[in-house]
Amino acid sequence: MASNSRQKSASSASRASRPAASKPSARRSAGASRPSSARGGSARSATSRRSGAARPARSDSPSARPARGGAPRSGTPSTYRPNISSRSIGDIRRSEREMRLRQKAQKSISRLVAAAAVAAGLLALGLVLYFSPILKVEDVQVSGSTHLTDADIQALVSIPEGATLLSVDAGGVARSLERDAWVETATVRRVFPHTLVIDVTERDIAAVVEVMTSDAKAVQPWAIASDGVWLMPIPEKDSELGASISPQIYEDAESVLTITGVPFGLIPEIGSTCTDENVENALSILNGLTTDLADAIVKVQATDAESTLLTLSNGIQIAFGTADDIREKERVCLQIMEQNPDKVAYINVRVVSKPTWRAV
């Protein structure tokens, strides 16, 4: 009997302790708001009140323990909070700017590569044409040359055998021609496929200067241009040298005036510029006169600048003097001759403010 009574007491104590141990776990799973320490205290109090049963062990099961900061409480709406990393407007603009720069750099590189490819192709084509007989120089045409003969041109211009329009040195050809005193300028043009055209601008004879020879026994006529460049000594027309030069030289020399009276010691050189002040003064007067008076002059005596004397085709002599007040001196001379037709033999305008004249 005593044994049965103890068993019943133990069974009653066991039943009393199971509800007390399960209540804290049920409250935790329901999301009770009280802290775990309070729940534990309540459970211990209930256990101690019920038949002095031992405190149950704390359960570590995930289902019995609420997820930290996660599982929503019963009756509370669920809210999703994604993990967002913020970027400033400056960062966005900087990223876009860097992207644009990269795109621009890629386009520039593409253009450079394309340009390099085109350049390489053109270079290869140019090298082929440079030496190709397709563009071989077969004809040379010279225009504008009247004082230089064909032999003169051939002596000045040398085109290598087998040269093409691309390989020929056009600048060198022009410079070679311009070394001649008659040639003022020269330009060379390529006319494809086989023609080289040379355009020459020549100097004209402005006057023929009578220069004393080195032995002072003869006079040598020299052609001089308006810019003071000595063109050439004019040989006798019936000489061997005269037969080899252009006939145009003699025609021009006969149509221009002659400068005489040049002091002994003047030594001209072909292609050089005259430095004699007497000849320079005479050329300045001729270049400054109008055609009405300039065309009538047939001779200029240039013994010295102060006494420069002009002789007209009608025989009138003009003591012109230095190349000062050229237009005013010319006006006075024309006025005197107009007011005294067929009466004037000599006019002195060295001092233009006090002109004098002498009748025939």
Side-chain angles (χ1 to χ4, degrees), residues 106-181:
Q106 290 174 355
K107 290 180 180 179
S108 299
I109 293 173
S110 300
R111 292 193 195 100
L112 288 175
V113 171
V118 172
L122 292 177
L123 179 60
L125 178 60
L127 289 174
V128 172
L129 294 177
Y130 189 85
F131 299 103
S132 174
I134 297 175
L135 301 178
K136 182 180 178 181
V137 177
E138 297 179 355
D139 184 24
V140 178
Q141 299 178 0
V142 181
S143 62
S145 175
T146 58
H147 298 98
L148 295 176
T149 64
D150 292 342
D152 296 331
I153 297 293
Q154 290 177 5
L156 293 169
V157 177
S158 177
I159 306 298
E161 183 66 26
T164 68
L165 289 180
L166 296 181
S167 66
V168 68
D169 184 5
V173 172
R175 288 189 296 271
S176 178
L177 282 167
E178 290 172 355
R179 286 198 296 266
D180 192 277

Side-chain angles (χ1 to χ4, degrees), residues 24-318:
S25 176
R27 283 196 295 271
R28 282 195 297 271
S29 64
S33 61
R34 286 179 297 174
S36 57
S37 59
R39 290 196 299 270
S42 175
R44 286 192 298 270
S45 175
T47 303
S48 59
R49 284 195 301 270
R50 291 186 182 132
S51 305
R55 185 176 60 188
R58 183 176 178 179
S59 174
D60 291 332
S61 172
S63 60
R65 191 171 62 246
R68 182 175 297 175
R73 300 192 183 111
S74 178
T76 305
S78 175
T79 302
Y80 175 70
R81 296 177 179 176
N83 185 17
I84 300 176
S85 60
S86 61
R87 297 176 65 195
S88 65
I89 295 177
D91 293 337
I92 296 174
R93 290 179 177 175
R94 189 180 304 109
S95 176
E96 293 176 350
R97 185 165 56 252
E98 291 175 354
M99 182 179 295
R100 287 195 298 269
L101 290 175
R102 286 195 298 270
Q103 292 174 350
K104 187 176 180 180
Q106 290 174 355
K107 290 180 180 179
S108 299
I109 293 173
S110 300
R111 292 193 195 100
L112 288 175
V113 171
V118 172
L122 292 177
L123 179 60
L125 178 60
L127 289 174
V128 172
L129 294 177
Y130 189 85
F131 299 103
S132 174
I134 297 175
L135 301 178
K136 182 180 178 181
V137 177
E138 297 179 355
D139 184 24
V140 178
Q141 299 178 0
V142 181
S143 62
S145 175
T146 58
H147 298 98
L148 295 176
T149 64
D150 292 342
D152 296 331
I153 297 293
Q154 290 177 5
L156 293 169
V157 177
S158 177
I159 306 298
E161 183 66 26
T164 68
L165 289 180
L166 296 181
S167 66
V168 68
D169 184 5
V173 172
R175 288 189 296 271
S176 178
L177 282 167
E178 290 172 355
R179 286 198 296 266
D180 192 277
W182 287 103
V183 180
E184 186 173 9
T185 60
T187 57
V188 179
R189 295 181 290 117
R190 298 175 174 89
V191 179
F192 292 92
H194 304 293
T195 305
L196 199 67
V197 178
I198 303 174
D199 299 314
V200 176
T201 301
E202 290 185 335
R203 291 182 174 91
D204 292 323
I205 302 176
V208 174
V209 182
E210 292 183 351
V211 180
M212 294 290 291
T213 59
S214 57
D215 57 5
K217 294 181 179 180
V219 174
Q220 174 65 60
W222 273 79
I224 191 170
S226 59
D227 58 359
V229 174
W230 295 107
L231 298 174
M232 65 174 294
I234 302 176
E236 293 290 337
K237 194 171 184 179
D238 55 357
S239 66
E240 182 179 353
L241 183 57
S244 66
I245 66 175
S246 172
Q248 187 67 41
I249 295 175
Y250 289 103
E251 292 181 17
D252 291 349
E254 292 171 357
S255 64
V256 298
L257 58 90
T258 303
I259 299 177
T260 65
V262 178
F264 175 77
L266 177 61
I267 305 176
E269 293 183 7
I270 296 176
S272 65
T273 302
C274 177
T275 57
D276 184 84
E277 61 179 5
N278 301 320
V279 177
E280 288 180 340
N281 184 73
L283 291 175
S284 297
I285 293 172
L286 298 176
N287 292 330
L289 293 173
T290 63
T291 55
D292 292 339
L293 190 59
D295 290 345
I297 299 173
V298 294
K299 186 170 64 174
V300 178
Q301 186 174 346
T303 305
D304 63 76
E306 290 290 339
S307 60
T308 301
L309 183 67
L310 312 181
T311 301
L312 306 185
S313 57
N314 56 9
I316 298 176
Q317 291 184 325
I318 301 174

Side-chain angles (χ1 to χ4, degrees), residues 3-13 15:
S3 176
N4 291 335
S5 297
R6 284 195 296 270
Q7 290 177 357
K8 291 179 180 179
S9 283
S11 177
S12 297
R15 283 195 301 270

